[in-house]
């Protein structure tokens, strides 16, 4: 079974600065996806960024970027120019690839989350 | 485009009762999955449906069940409720197994 570990229960950063959230995972699969989701107090899980394991290039979405180290099984999220609206719980998640016929797609496996606080 | 809609948003039930939660996916999405979120266990996968067929199931007892209709809407049912079933239940939809999941706002279930 796959596991996802987020070692930082809480992080705090000053507005406009950069912060990096850590995530490591354990898997024996070669085909998979990694995600970062954001959950503000409104409870809705919002997809921040997605990375396909077969892609060496790190994914980027505006101020959000990842550092994907496949050999080290590490998937950290960097938030640049932090804004007050970035304050939320951030969850790292893993999903097997290969579709249903490939035996994958057995749901997302989430880490415990990192509570990100933005100091004004 | 409307997002994933979950009803009701809040629910209070008594131990031993049963409950049905509803999820309407984003238009065009054929996959619906359900997750349970609690402070102690975090986010846990319940099950996933695609084209009215259950594709995968998480490690939950048989009291938890679900179904998907021909219009891709999904329901999950929990029978013989226990106090430990109190949680936020999140529904997510996607085009298919290799597409990103989009979540609804969840249903907060409280069992007393």
């Amino acid at each position: 079974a796959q596991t996802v570990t987020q070692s930082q229960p809480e992080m705090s950063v000053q507005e406009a600065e950069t912060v990096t959230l850590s995530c490591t995972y354990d898997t024996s699969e070669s085909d998979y996806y990694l995600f970062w989701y954001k959950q503000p107090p409104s409870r809705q899980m919002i997809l921040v960024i997605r990375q396909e394991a077969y892609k060496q290039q790190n994914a980027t979405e505006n101020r959000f970027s990842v550092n994907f180290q496949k050999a080290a099984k590490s998937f950290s999220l960097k938030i640049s120019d932090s804004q007050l609206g970035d304050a939320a719980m951030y969850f790292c998640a893993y999903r097997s690839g290969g579709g249903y016929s490939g035996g994958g797609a057995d749901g997302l496996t989430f880490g415990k989350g990192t509570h990100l606080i933005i100091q004004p | 485009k409307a997002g994933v809609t979950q009803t009701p948003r809040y629910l209070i039930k008594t131990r031993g009762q049963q409950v049905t939660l509803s999820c309407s996916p984003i238009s065009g999405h054929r996959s619906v999955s359900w997750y349970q979120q609690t402070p102690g266990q975090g986010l846990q996968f319940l099950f996933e449906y695609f084209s009215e067929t259950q594709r995968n199931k998480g490690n939950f007892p048989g009291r938890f069940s679900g179904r998907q209709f021909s219009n891709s809407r999904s329901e999950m049912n929990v029978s013989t409720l226990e106090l430990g079933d109190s949680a936020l239940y999140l529904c997510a939809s996607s085009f298919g197994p290799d597409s990103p999941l989009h979540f609804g706002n969840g249903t907060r279930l409280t069992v007393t």
Side-chain angles (χ1 to χ4, degrees):
Chain A
Q2 296 80 26
T3 59
V4 177
T5 303
Q6 293 179 249
S7 59
Q8 307 151 317
E10 187 173 280
M11 291 282 284
S12 181
V13 65
Q14 291 289 131
E15 194 176 1
E17 293 192 344
T18 295
V19 62
T20 298
L21 308 184
S22 301
C23 172
T24 58
Y25 59 96
D26 189 23
T27 184
S28 58
E29 299 173 334
S30 58
D31 185 11
Y32 54 88
Y33 302 91
L34 294 165
F35 305 87
W36 279 98
Y37 278 92
K38 165 186 175 181
Q39 188 177 40
S42 66
R43 307 180 330 198
Q44 184 175 17
M45 298 284 283
I46 301 165
L47 177 64
V48 175
I49 204 162
R50 175 190 190 222
Q51 175 80 44
E52 293 92 338
Y54 64 85
K55 287 188 178 179
Q56 291 188 338
Q57 186 173 7
N58 290 324
T60 300
E61 285 289 338
N62 301 313
R63 297 182 296 106
F64 299 87
S65 62
V66 297
N67 183 4
F68 174 46
Q69 300 290 325
K70 191 171 183 178
K73 295 179 182 173
S74 171
F75 184 62
S76 60
L77 174 70
K78 185 171 84 172
I79 306 174
S80 304
D81 186 25
S82 298
Q83 300 175 1
L84 295 177
D86 295 334
M89 283 293 293
Y90 285 80
F91 293 94
C92 178
Y94 172 104
R95 181 172 176 133
S96 299
Y100 299 124
S101 60
D106 52 356
L108 287 169
T109 299
F110 285 91
K112 293 294 187 186
T114 296
H115 181 209
L116 179 62
I117 299 167
I118 310 294
Q119 305 279 4
Chain B
K1 200 174 191 181
V4 178
T5 304
Q6 291 187 247
T7 56
R9 290 214 63 187
Y10 300 91
L11 207 48
I12 300 175
K13 289 288 187 178
T14 303
R15 196 169 39 183
Q17 288 185 315
Q18 75 165 17
V19 67
T20 300
L21 311 182
S22 179
C23 174
S24 294
I26 291 171
S27 178
H29 285 190
R30 295 171 63 192
S31 172
V32 174
S33 51
W34 291 87
Y35 292 80
Q36 181 196 66
Q37 186 176 21
T38 60
Q41 298 299 317
L43 284 147
Q44 294 184 284
F45 170 68
L46 280 157
F47 27 66
E48 180 169 5
Y49 289 86
F50 182 82
S51 295
E52 302 177 65
T53 301
Q54 187 179 90
R55 301 292 175 161
N56 285 295
K57 190 177 195 301
N59 189 26
F60 278 82
R63 300 185 297 106
F64 291 81
S65 63
R67 59 178 176 168
Q68 186 181 33
F69 302 96
S70 58
N71 61 359
S72 293
R73 192 177 70 83
S74 176
E75 289 181 347
M76 70 162 278
N77 183 277
V78 187
S79 62
T80 319
L81 284 165
E82 300 177 0
L83 296 179
D85 297 334
S86 294
L88 178 66
Y89 290 88
L90 292 165
C91 169
S93 75
S94 69
F95 286 110
D98 294 321
S99 300
L101 272 64
H102 297 268
F103 285 82
N105 284 324
T107 294
R108 171 76 67 188
L109 172 65
T110 302
V111 182
T112 62

